[in-house]
Amino acid sequence: MLTQAAVPLGFEVTVLDPAERGPAVQAGANLIRGGLTEPEAISRLVESTDVTTWEIEHIDTETLAYLEATGRDIQPHAHTLRIIQDKLHQKLFLKSWEVPVAPHIALHQYSDYEKAFDLFDGDVIIKTRRGGYDGRGNLAPEAEGSIQAFRRATEAFGDRPLYAEQIIPFKKELAVMVARDKLGELASYPVVETVHRDNICHMVLAPAPVSLETRNRAEEVARQAIAQFNGAGIFGVELFLTADDEVLVNEIAPRVHNSGHHTIEANHTSQFEQHIRAVTGLPLGSTEMVTPAAVMVNILGDRNGDYDLRGLNDVLELPDTHVHLYGKRPTAKARKMGHITVRAGDLDEAKERALFARSLLSV
Amino acid sequence: MLTQAAVPLGFEVTVLDPAERGPAVQAGANLIRGGLTEPEAISRLVESTDVTTWEIEHIDTETLAYLEATGRDIQPHAHTLRIIQDKLHQKLFLKSWEVPVAPHIALHQYSDYEKAFDLFDGDVIIKTRRGGYDGRGNLAPEAEGSIQAFRRATEAFGDRPLYAEQIIPFKKELAVMVARDKLGELASYPVVETVHRDNICHMVLAPAPVSLETRNRAEEVARQAIAQFNGAGIFGVELFLTADDEVLVNEIAPRVHNSGHHTIEANHTSQFEQHIRAVTGLPLGSTEMVTPAAVMVNILGDRNGDYDLRGLNDVLELPDTHVHLYGKRPTAKARKMGHITVRAGDLDEAKERALFARSLLSV
């Protein structure tokens, strides 16, 4: 989707991808075949382009930082990615800038577990500091009962660095996409509600059905967070709206994000075009919505096996319903294979129609 | 733009193009390199794909018709293209179905010229029957004065078949995009006004600023015309609104058309997605507008020479302004290098903003 946004603006795209014909290549990108943690492959990419960016954060920042130091244009900056990759550092960094986050502590030794349990009164979730996504790398005590059982359960993570966070009961999960240009100017999108299932983004409601006060607060917190990072690009700021209407930052994604896919049809400037504008030094575009309401539903693989799309015909009968298939192969359970966006006059209608459309498809 | 619409619906595109890295390849299409009138190249394209269509009508229909007869899926049908390629046949065909067109006669011998001059009272335009576009292949008498001078002037066309048409004074040029699915069902887009400069489309206003009665009549005439052709796809129907508010068909393009480019941002379903849906047997999408008004302005090359885009920065400062560059090289005078679409609350504002945006760019 980034390539699709870059081409009409006159850019040539080159992608680093371990696959031979991944989504970006299908959309016209040149390919450098290689892994996202292979220094040699990353160097080849950076050296063959004017500006380098990413759409996944699990990449080798050491190489990026080195190339940046030699004068290459990396956006956002490698340092930003490095802070964000370590979720504990991310939290500490945000806290140091007075951005509200859930209480958390590092876990080094057994006594830290005891401290976390005490401090958070047992309402604690253990997370890997690096590499987790879509809930992978998180462990909540649930029915475990005792701190000892819990400590044993975390052994599954081996010697990966962990931290503990207080579980904050929340009413809703919200998200704000914030773009940052090369001069540090910000442009934020209207706040959305994200609905997760099994820790994976299932649906996005735009704009979020919350009070004006909450909208303003969410936008303020998100902008406050992104203002502290270096480099240009779009950022997804995941937020909790707590039981007592506080807004906390859950996590930041330094890239285009699932909670911004609806902007392709729903906003003046899509998150993808916005990111391309930001990293290439073009001005940021208007983030206004072009429709009263839009709902995005992910198309997750419902099984493992050969790609076999069914129901597209039925979905395309529906008005103002937009299907985006990513061209990923094969299908895998919970793999993000595409998404559907519906525009409508109000959120209830958009939601109903989007869920109905999704129910007609299988991949 | 067709490739960009096909990829998110899960299709793989292969294009026949004499250029090595033309617009479709830049958007992810596989390439078969060859000319559009080379039977061997056309055969290779058709045989490597499930369905074949075109976005320019100056191609070899004999080969297409042959391949169709051997059971290949060509949309719209080769026969449709053959009728439309010969503008005189197109007119006769439309007339036979009682679609209103300007009076016309074939030109075979000198007496036909006399007949045309008499019949149309000197208000006559001579056109090549094949291969003309953007006004090329048209010759109006203007200051020529006499039929003899006029006859001599047409000698520039050599022995190409010609026909004469009465010049109809018109108030506006209108256009309607009409899609046709494989069962012959039609879906038409809101009527637009097209503004030409030097016979080349300069600007499209959507919806056309005309009375409801004219809108209805234009839609009716356009649907009546397209109902008679065979095969699926989108068609551009160019219309004249005469001084006495009659609607006449000027010309039909059996393909995506410049008067439908605004639909990418302005309508539920873009003309490009609509065409892909039609030719692949998917249901047609809603043609409703998503904005009160939209104006598209072409970016024509203003000189011959190396591609050198200027002003993109300034254009992208403007709200809800969408730039599409086609990746054509080099720049040539009057070559269609891209377009800009602006959405707005009303047509006057959209027009003003689109023309202003265009004035900032040079290619």
Side-chain angles (χ1 to χ4, degrees), chain B residues 88-316:
Chain B
L88 179 61
H89 279 180
Q90 187 190 134
K91 288 257 150 75
L92 294 170
F93 179 83
L94 291 171
K95 208 177 160 190
S96 75
W97 289 101
E98 296 178 346
V99 176
V101 294
H104 52 268
I105 61 172
L107 296 176
H108 297 295
Q109 52 205 17
Y110 188 75
S111 63
D112 294 333
Y113 286 82
E114 291 181 317
K115 204 161 118 195
F117 249 66
D118 273 6
L119 207 60
F120 307 145
D121 225 4
D123 289 336
V124 64
I125 186 165
I126 309 286
K127 296 183 173 182
T128 54
R129 287 168 57 173
R130 292 170 167 281
Y133 66 100
D134 288 348
R136 283 180 248 192
N138 292 352
L139 192 67
E142 311 211 44
E144 300 284 344
S146 74
I147 181 172
Q148 288 78 6
F150 189 42
R151 177 72 184 88
R152 276 197 303 279
T154 65
E155 281 165 12
F157 292 130
D159 56 0
R160 293 172 68 182
L162 303 174
Y163 74 104
E165 198 174 286
Q166 184 175 0
I167 293 177
I168 304 287
F170 58 82
K171 292 198 290 194
K172 280 180 195 297
E173 289 184 87
L174 306 176
V176 179
M177 298 303 306
V178 182
R180 206 187 132 91
D181 72 14
K182 288 193 171 182
L183 302 172
E185 288 292 315
L186 302 181
S188 51
Y189 284 75
V191 186
V192 299
E193 178 179 355
T194 58
V195 180
H196 289 75
R197 261 195 205 163
D198 303 329
N199 289 306
I200 298 178
C201 177
H202 161 56
M203 182 165 63
V204 171
L205 314 178
V210 293
S211 68
L212 181 63
E213 207 182 343
T214 296
R215 282 189 201 187
N216 290 341
R217 179 64 185 147
E219 196 183 317
E220 181 188 30
V221 166
R223 292 175 72 102
Q224 193 188 343
I226 300 313
Q228 314 314 328
F229 290 103
N230 292 318
I234 204 160
F235 295 76
V237 183
E238 298 178 15
L239 303 163
F240 290 133
L241 179 64
T242 68
D244 43 0
D245 280 326
E246 259 191 287
V247 172
L248 302 179
V249 171
N250 173 28
E251 210 171 300
I252 288 173
R255 54 167 168 82
V256 290
H257 191 255
N258 207 160
S259 60
H261 287 0
H262 65 285
T263 58
I264 295 175
E265 289 88 9
N267 295 68
H268 286 189
T269 313
S270 81
Q271 67 162 345
F272 301 100
E273 178 173 334
Q274 194 75 295
H275 185 70
I276 297 296
R277 287 174 178 232
V279 304
T280 58
L282 288 167
L284 299 180
S286 152
T287 58
E288 259 181 76
M289 289 183 73
V290 70
T291 174
V295 167
M296 189 253 16
V297 183
N298 273 335
I299 304 170
L300 303 178
D302 38 31
R303 61 189 171 80
N304 296 319
D306 283 345
Y307 181 81
D308 179 21
L309 178 72
R310 285 165 194 248
L312 184 62
N313 255 65
D314 297 329
V315 173
L316 294 182

Side-chain angles (χ1 to χ4, degrees), chain A residues 163-214:
Chain A
Y163 74 104
E165 199 175 285
Q166 184 175 359
I167 293 177
I168 304 289
F170 58 82
K171 292 200 288 195
K172 282 180 193 295
E173 288 183 88
L174 306 176
V176 178
M177 298 303 306
V178 183
R180 205 187 134 91
D181 72 12
K182 289 192 171 184
L183 302 173
E185 287 293 315
L186 303 181
S188 52
Y189 284 75
V191 186
V192 299
E193 180 179 354
T194 57
V195 180
H196 288 75
R197 263 195 204 163
D198 302 330
N199 288 307
I200 299 177
C201 178
H202 160 57
M203 183 164 64
V204 172
L205 314 177
V210 293
S211 68
L212 180 64
E213 206 183 342
T214 297

